[in-house]
C-alpha cells in the first residue's frame, strides 16, 4: 500500500511539472522567465534610440526600461488583430510595468517627444 501511495505522488508530481517543462522546451518561456522583445524603429531617424529602450515579457507582465533620458514617452499597447489599446505616458529614464489580462499577440509602440516612433511585437500566453 505504501508503494502505491508513493507511486501516486510521483505521477502527480510529474503531471504538474510537465506543462512547465513543455513550455520551456518549446520556447514559450525562457528558463529565467523573461523574454526580450526586439525594439525596431518606425521610419528613419537621425539618432536611433532602439538601444535605449528595452522591453521584456514575463507571462502577463510587460516590463519596459529606458536607459537614457528621452523625455516624456508615450507607450501604446495594442492587441492584434482586435485593436484593443492601452496608452500611458512616462518620464524617462525610468521603468514601467503593465499587466496584460488577455492572451494573444500584441504590439507596443513608443512615441518620443520629437515624434520618433519605435515598436516591438510580443505574445502573451499562459505558459
Amino acid at each position: 500500500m505504501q508503494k502505491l501511495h508513493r507511486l501516486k505522488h510521483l505521477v502527480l508530481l510529474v503531471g504538474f511539472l510537465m506543462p512547465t517543462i513543455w513550455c520551456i522546451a518549446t520556447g514559450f518561456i525562457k528558463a529565467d522567465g523573461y523574454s526580450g522583445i526586439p525594439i525596431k524603429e518606425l521610419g528613419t531617424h537621425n539618432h536611433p534610440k532602439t538601444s535605449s529602450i528595452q522591453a521584456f515579457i514575463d507571462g502577463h507582465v510587460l516590463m519596459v526600461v529606458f536607459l537614457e533620458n528621452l523625455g516624456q514617452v508615450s507607450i501604446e499597447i495594442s492587441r492584434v488583430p482586435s485593436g484593443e489599446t492601452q496608452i500611458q505616458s512616462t518620464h524617462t529614464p525610468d521603468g514601467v510595468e503593465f499587466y496584460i489580462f488577455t492572451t494573444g499577440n500584441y504590439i507596443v509602440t513608443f512615441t518620443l517627444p520629437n515624434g520618433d516612433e519605435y515598436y516591438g511585437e510580443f505574445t502573451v500566453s499562459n505558459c
Side-chain angles (χ1 to χ4, degrees), residues 60 62 74-79 83-89 96-102 106-109 122:
H60 287 258
L62 173 65
S74 174
I75 304 168
E76 179 179 313
I77 303 167
S78 301
R79 187 167 182 223
E84 297 170 47
T85 303
Q86 177 181 356
I87 300 174
Q88 177 177 327
S89 290
V96 64
E97 285 188 1
F98 299 90
Y99 186 85
I100 302 171
F101 292 95
T102 309
Y106 289 84
I107 297 175
V108 59
T109 305
F122 63 97

Side-chain angles (χ1 to χ4, degrees), residues 1 58 64 78 123 127:
M1 190 58 122
D58 181 11
V64 178
S78 301
T123 300
C127 288

Side-chain angles (χ1 to χ4, degrees), residues 3-62:
K3 288 182 180 182
L4 184 59
H5 187 67
R6 284 185 182 174
L7 180 61
K8 181 179 173 183
H9 280 243
L10 181 63
V11 169
L12 285 173
L13 177 65
V14 170
F16 286 128
L17 289 176
M18 285 308 293
T20 302
I21 293 168
W22 179 80
C23 286
I24 291 171
T26 58
F28 280 121
I29 59 174
K30 305 288 184 204
D32 63 358
Y34 299 100
S35 294
I37 300 169
I39 303 300
K40 304 168 190 157
E41 52 186 310
L42 277 168
T44 305
H45 308 112
N46 292 331
H47 305 287
K49 301 292 184 185
T50 54
S51 62
S52 300
I53 304 169
Q54 299 200 351
F56 306 91
I57 189 74
D58 181 11
H60 287 258
V61 178
L62 173 65

